[in-house]
């Protein structure tokens, strides 16, 4: 545990890079992930409501999902699934047991608030989960965004009579004062004072959306007829609503080689994006079938290989980079609070995860004094930098040191981090 004073920024630490590796953080990111697993689903072929009463309390690996569209995790290890065709949000607890978290498994609209498992939903195809377990639901055909608190009570946060179009994106700020969601070829913003406003009005067939580590809205445009010229790309949205391409060239010709600029390649149906704290991001191409990583220099690398269609679930228990198609038609990628990559795949319904190795915390501090509490019995090193790019060891702290205060810095190197 680290305790700090004055100005600081916290981020997750990837293994420390050498000067040669600074060309790309690809190796560090890939080295941080390991085994691919299936968390839920058995992969039935049909697109319908498969819910059975016997699924409640069963192991999630033995349950048929019904066209899941999004999965996110909270800080306690629970996973929440927007299971569209079963008209519910499902929860997988840390032991792998499945529970209904919201909805009755029958489509409808029977109220604006109440116990979440007694309120009907209608094709929920998007959600957003806070680390504390509060869940927000994009209740598609009921044209509303709901909130389920930690006590299981559902309330309606937003009603939008214009509906959500084909989009599935939803993001909610920690203080609930800002919400982004998709409309028909649009991205909308809601605030308590301003209500619903259109932020982007010319997005062809939007996929999911998120906010990057710097606070900017990021949206994907997955398909459509291309008349607006925005298909098959990922965009960062400026304060004025302007779009800056950060991945994709508008075609569907996905790259055969890795390490090329992400804006120079085709992305077939760019669907979902999940950011690491460093600014690199994972990207799912639904019809391309793959999950990609775009590094901090904007280069793209295939992360998990997949098929453009079909009921594919391969590679359980293997390293994610093992050759061969392991998934198909990924709908969503999200990151758990511990950094695990969660992949929601195809209408057949699988929830897969690539586990992240747990690494120590990285701290970047700008000048001033910092007090450190360190893990007993473990050697640490204090590194400093002038530009947050090139780091060098300043002090080595032996395993006997469990607490220390640093009040001086090397001249010209105001940034510091601690690594194991």
């Amino acid at each position: 545990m680290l305790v700090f004073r004055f100005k600081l920024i916290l981020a997750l630490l990837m293994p420390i890079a050498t000067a040669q590796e600074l060309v790309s953080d690809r190796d560090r990111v890939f080295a941080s992930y390991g085994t691919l697993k299936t968390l839920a689903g058995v992969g039935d072929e049909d697109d319908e409501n498969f819910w059975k009463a016997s699924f409640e309390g069963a192991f999630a690996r033995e349950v048929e999902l019904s066209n899941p569209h999004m999965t996110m995790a909270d800080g306690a290890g629970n996973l929440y699934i927007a299971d569209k065709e079963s008209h519910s949000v499902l929860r997988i607890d840390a032991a792998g047991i499945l529970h209904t978290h919201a909805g009755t498994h029958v489509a409808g609209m029977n109220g604006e608030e109440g116990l979440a498992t007694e309120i009907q939903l209608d094709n929920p195809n998007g959600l957003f989960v806070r680390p504390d377990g509060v869940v927000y639901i994009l209740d598609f055909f009921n044209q509303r965004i709901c909130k389920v608190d930690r006590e299981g009570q559902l309330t309606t946060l937003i009603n939008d009579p214009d509906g959500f179009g084909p989009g599935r994106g939803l993001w909610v700020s920690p203080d609930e004062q800002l919400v982004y969601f998709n409309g028909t070829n649009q991205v909308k913003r809601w605030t308590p004072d301003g209500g619903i406003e259109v932020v982007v009005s010319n997005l062809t067939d939007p996929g999911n959306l998120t906010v990057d580590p710097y606070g900017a809205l990021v949206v994907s445009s997955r398909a459509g007829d291309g008349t607006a010229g925005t298909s098959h790309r990922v965009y960062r949205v400026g304060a004025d609503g302007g779009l800056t391409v950060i991945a994709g060239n508008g075609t569907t010709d996905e790259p055969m080689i890795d390490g090329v600029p992400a804006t120079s390649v085709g992305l077939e149906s760019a669907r979902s994006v999940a950011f690491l704290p460093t600014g690199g991001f994972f990207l799912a191409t639904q019809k391309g079938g793959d999950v990609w990583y775009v590094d901090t220099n904007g280069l793209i690398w295939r992360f998990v290989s997949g098929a453009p269609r079909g009921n594919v679930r391969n590679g359980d228990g293997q390293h994610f980079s093992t050759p061969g198609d392991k998934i198909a038609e990924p709908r969503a990628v999200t990151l758990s609070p511990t950094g695990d990559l969660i992949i929601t795949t195809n209408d057949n319904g699988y929830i897969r995860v690539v586990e992240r190795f747990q690494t120590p915390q990285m701290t970047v501090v700008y000048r001033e004094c910092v007090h450190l509490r360190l893990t007993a019995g473990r050697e640490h090193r204090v590194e400093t930098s002038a530009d947050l790019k090139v780091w060098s060891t300043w002090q080595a702290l032996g395993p006997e040191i469990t607490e220390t205060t640093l009040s001086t810095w090397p001249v010209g190197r105001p940034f510091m981090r601690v690594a194991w």
Side-chain angles (χ1 to χ4, degrees), residues 253-332:
D253 300 323
E254 297 201 344
M256 300 300 293
I257 60 172
D258 287 342
V260 297
T263 54
S264 71
V265 301
L267 299 172
E268 188 169 8
S269 190
R271 177 68 179 255
S272 183
V273 170
F275 276 88
L276 291 171
T278 57
F281 61 90
F282 295 99
L283 164 64
T285 53
Q286 181 183 352
K287 294 184 179 179
D290 298 307
V291 174
W292 302 85
Y293 177 66
V294 178
D295 69 25
T296 50
N297 288 327
L299 306 180
I300 192 167
W301 311 83
R302 184 177 275 104
F303 191 78
V304 177
S305 295
R309 61 188 61 84
N311 187 7
V312 179
R313 191 202 74 184
N314 297 320
D316 272 353
Q318 298 177 357
H319 193 268
F320 72 89
S321 63
T322 303
D325 291 339
K326 303 168 194 65
I327 61 175
E329 299 181 82
R331 292 186 175 278

Side-chain angles (χ1 to χ4, degrees), residues 50-74:
F50 287 111
W51 180 258
K52 300 176 183 177
S54 60
F55 293 169
E56 192 73 42
F59 284 103
R61 282 284 306 268
E62 301 173 358
V63 167
E64 297 176 67
L65 300 178
S66 304
N67 200 353
H69 269 55
M70 171 72 79
T71 309
M72 291 188 72
D74 67 16

Side-chain angles (χ1 to χ4, degrees), residues 65-397:
L65 300 178
S66 304
N67 200 353
H69 269 55
M70 171 72 79
T71 309
M72 291 188 72
D74 67 16
N78 298 295
L79 276 76
Y80 303 84
I81 306 168
D83 200 37
K84 179 180 176 182
E85 296 292 337
S86 78
H87 312 292
S88 66
V89 171
L90 306 177
R91 177 174 58 88
I92 305 172
D93 66 24
I97 303 301
L98 191 91
H99 311 270
T100 301
H101 193 70
T104 65
H105 305 286
V106 176
M109 173 64 169
N110 65 345
E112 295 281 357
E113 61 182 33
L115 186 65
T117 52
E118 297 178 355
I119 300 296
Q120 290 177 310
L121 305 174
D122 195 341
N123 284 259
N125 64 348
L127 57 71
F128 185 83
V129 178
R130 293 194 332 213
D132 64 0
V134 174
V135 178
Y136 301 88
I137 305 166
L138 196 152
D139 189 9
F140 190 78
F141 284 123
N142 285 331
Q143 299 180 324
R144 62 179 177 174
I145 294 171
C146 304
K147 173 185 176 180
V148 180
D149 66 20
R150 297 176 64 185
E151 286 69 47
Q153 294 295 312
L154 181 146
T155 55
T156 298
L157 181 65
I158 301 169
N159 282 295
D160 185 355
D162 294 329
F164 305 118
R168 285 109 179 140
L170 176 62
W171 181 89
V172 183
S173 66
D175 61 2
E176 212 174 86
Q177 298 300 295
L178 175 63
V179 179
Y180 290 116
F181 59 96
N182 286 338
T184 302
N185 295 335
Q186 296 175 328
V187 177
K188 300 178 182 180
R189 174 179 59 215
W190 174 89
T191 59
D193 294 333
I196 298 173
E197 304 171 283
V198 175
V199 179
V200 180
S201 60
N202 61 337
L203 194 66
T204 307
D205 197 5
N208 294 318
L209 56 80
T210 190
V211 169
D212 71 15
Y214 315 106
L217 175 64
V218 173
V219 300
S220 63
S221 182
R222 63 185 187 133
D225 59 13
T227 55
T230 60
S231 294
H232 310 294
R233 294 186 177 98
V234 179
Y235 297 91
R236 181 173 283 114
V237 181
D240 61 353
L243 301 177
T244 299
V245 179
I246 61 173
N249 65 8
T251 73
T252 59
D253 300 323
E254 297 201 344
M256 300 300 293
I257 60 172
D258 287 342
V260 297
T263 54
S264 71
V265 301
L267 299 172
E268 188 169 8
S269 190
R271 177 68 179 255
S272 183
V273 170
F275 276 88
L276 291 171
T278 57
F281 61 90
F282 295 99
L283 164 64
T285 53
Q286 181 183 352
K287 294 184 179 179
D290 298 307
V291 174
W292 302 85
Y293 177 66
V294 178
D295 69 25
T296 50
N297 288 327
L299 306 180
I300 192 167
W301 311 83
R302 184 177 275 104
F303 191 78
V304 177
S305 295
R309 61 188 61 84
N311 187 7
V312 179
R313 191 202 74 184
N314 297 320
D316 272 353
Q318 298 177 357
H319 193 268
F320 72 89
S321 63
T322 303
D325 291 339
K326 303 168 194 65
I327 61 175
E329 299 181 82
R331 292 186 175 278
V333 287
T334 61
L335 288 166
S336 75
T338 59
D340 291 343
L341 178 66
I342 303 166
I343 308 171
T344 306
T345 69
N346 68 54
D347 291 341
N348 306 116
Y350 297 114
I351 311 303
R352 314 291 299 278
V353 64
V354 183
E355 295 181 320
R356 181 175 182 269
F357 300 123
Q358 296 309 302
T359 57
Q361 205 172 39
M362 180 182 95
T363 308
V364 180
V365 181
Y366 180 69
R367 300 185 180 90
E368 303 301 348
C369 172
V370 60
H371 185 79
L372 308 177
R373 293 193 181 121
L374 307 172
T375 303
R378 183 182 294 276
E379 294 183 349
H380 297 78
R381 62 185 182 275
V382 179
E383 301 179 335
T384 59
S385 173
D387 56 7
L388 296 177
K389 296 179 180 179
V390 179
W391 295 85
S392 60
T393 299
W394 176 47
Q395 291 186 21
L397 305 176

